[in-house]
Amino acid sequence: MTTAIIGTGGLGSVIARQLASGGETLRLSSADTESARTLAAQIGRAAVVAVDNRDALRGAGAVVLALRFTVLKGVIAEIADPLTGKLVVVPSNPLSTDAHGNVTRVLPEGQSSGKVVAGWLPTGTRLAMAFGTMSADLFESASNRSPEPAVLFYASDDGRAGEEVERLIRTAGFEPVKAGGIEQSGRLEVGGDLHDLVVGPAEARSLIGGA
Ligand SMILES: NC(=O)c1ccc[n+]([C@@H]2O[C@H](COP(=O)([O-])OP(=O)(O)OC[C@H]3O[C@@H](n4cnc5c(N)ncnc54)[C@H](OP(=O)(O)O)[C@@H]3O)[C@@H](O)[C@H]2O)c1
């Protein structure tokens, strides 16, 4: 199946490599296409570079918006029409980094990225907050763990989105565990109790229950 990945930086490139190694076909897009081209060359035949963000969605059933929170709203507005009917996966934490590398939270405490992004999406899209629950390095090293797979938590209000993101999570080499609806997505984000955890399914389910 085909998934679009918009944003091929630190996290998007790792997600793309993991999905491609699990058999997914990818359409890649980035701000100036250079990083998307470099990544597509590394991945090989499973990845093509789209002309622009809208073109990335052509023929894709799902899109991962691997973008910094501060550019998400603008990109969603740019691709709003072709987003209809697709699974939208968002890994973004509500953070901003200044020119000196200082990281600050851009939403008030208690307000999650998931809740805000849900309000930006056009009607008819299916949102899952996923793939941003651990650092890119940890994501890469914890994938395809054996004998017990590591868990990737996700949050969604939509049953079909849940099934679709679970397929992507398995393709990337993890076991999916739902933390709850979008109102639970703060638990997955930076500062949340489920962020940056590498756990197996049994521990994951007990953590969910223990909220
Ligand atoms: N990195 C991590 O370890 C990590 C872990 C968990 C969650 N996250 C979340 O994942 C998101 C991405 O983080 P990152 O570290 O991957 O950021 P990053 O390295 O800065 O990459 C951002 C990507 O977005 C692309 N981009 C920027 N504006 C765009 C636009 N208008 N249209 C299309 N692409 C655009 C950039 O394109 P160019 O390459 O052309 O500049 C770049 O490929 C963030 O919200 C972060 O909170 C990151």
Side-chain angles (χ1 to χ4, degrees), residues 4-7 11-12 15 53 57 62-69 72-73 75-76 79 83 87-92 117 121 127 130:
I5 299 189
I6 300 182
L11 185 65
I15 295 171
N53 293 336
L57 296 173
V63 57
V64 180
L65 300 178
L67 299 163
R68 295 192 180 202
F69 187 82
L72 258 182
K73 189 178 184 184
V75 171
I76 289 171
I79 60 175
L83 269 189
L87 168 70
V88 180
V89 181
V90 177
S92 302
V117 172
L121 288 173
L127 172 64

Side-chain angles (χ1 to χ4, degrees), residues 149-185:
V151 159
L152 214 59
F153 293 104
Y154 72 93
S156 182
D157 288 338
D158 184 298
R160 188 170 156 202
E163 287 169 23
E164 292 169 324
V165 79
E166 289 198 3
R167 184 191 71 79
L168 285 177
I169 288 170
R170 289 199 175 92
T171 301
F174 290 86
E175 181 64 21
V177 170
K178 182 174 178 173
I182 292 296
E183 85 285 351
Q184 296 294 321
S185 60

Side-chain angles (χ1 to χ4, degrees), residues 8-11 30-32 35 53 66-68 75 91-93 132 134-136:
T8 50
L11 185 65
S30 62
D32 67 5
S35 69
N53 293 336
L67 299 163
R68 295 192 180 202
V75 171
S92 302
N93 287 293
M134 48 179 89
S135 71

Side-chain angles (χ1 to χ4, degrees), residues 49-132:
V49 181
V51 173
D52 55 29
N53 293 336
R54 292 174 70 89
D55 181 52
L57 296 173
R58 219 160 277 175
V63 57
V64 180
L65 300 178
L67 299 163
R68 295 192 180 202
F69 187 82
T70 44
V71 304
L72 258 182
K73 189 178 184 184
V75 171
I76 289 171
E78 180 191 340
I79 60 175
D81 299 342
L83 269 189
T84 307
K86 298 195 192 299
L87 168 70
V88 180
V89 181
V90 177
S92 302
N93 287 293
L95 303 175
S96 160
T97 308
D98 70 17
H100 306 291
N102 301 312
V103 177
T104 49
R105 190 178 164 86
V106 295
L107 293 176
E109 283 303 325
Q111 191 174 20
S112 69
S113 173
K115 202 79 187 154
V116 173
V117 172
W120 292 339
L121 288 173
T123 312
T125 53
R126 302 185 293 282
L127 172 64
M129 296 300 291
F131 286 94

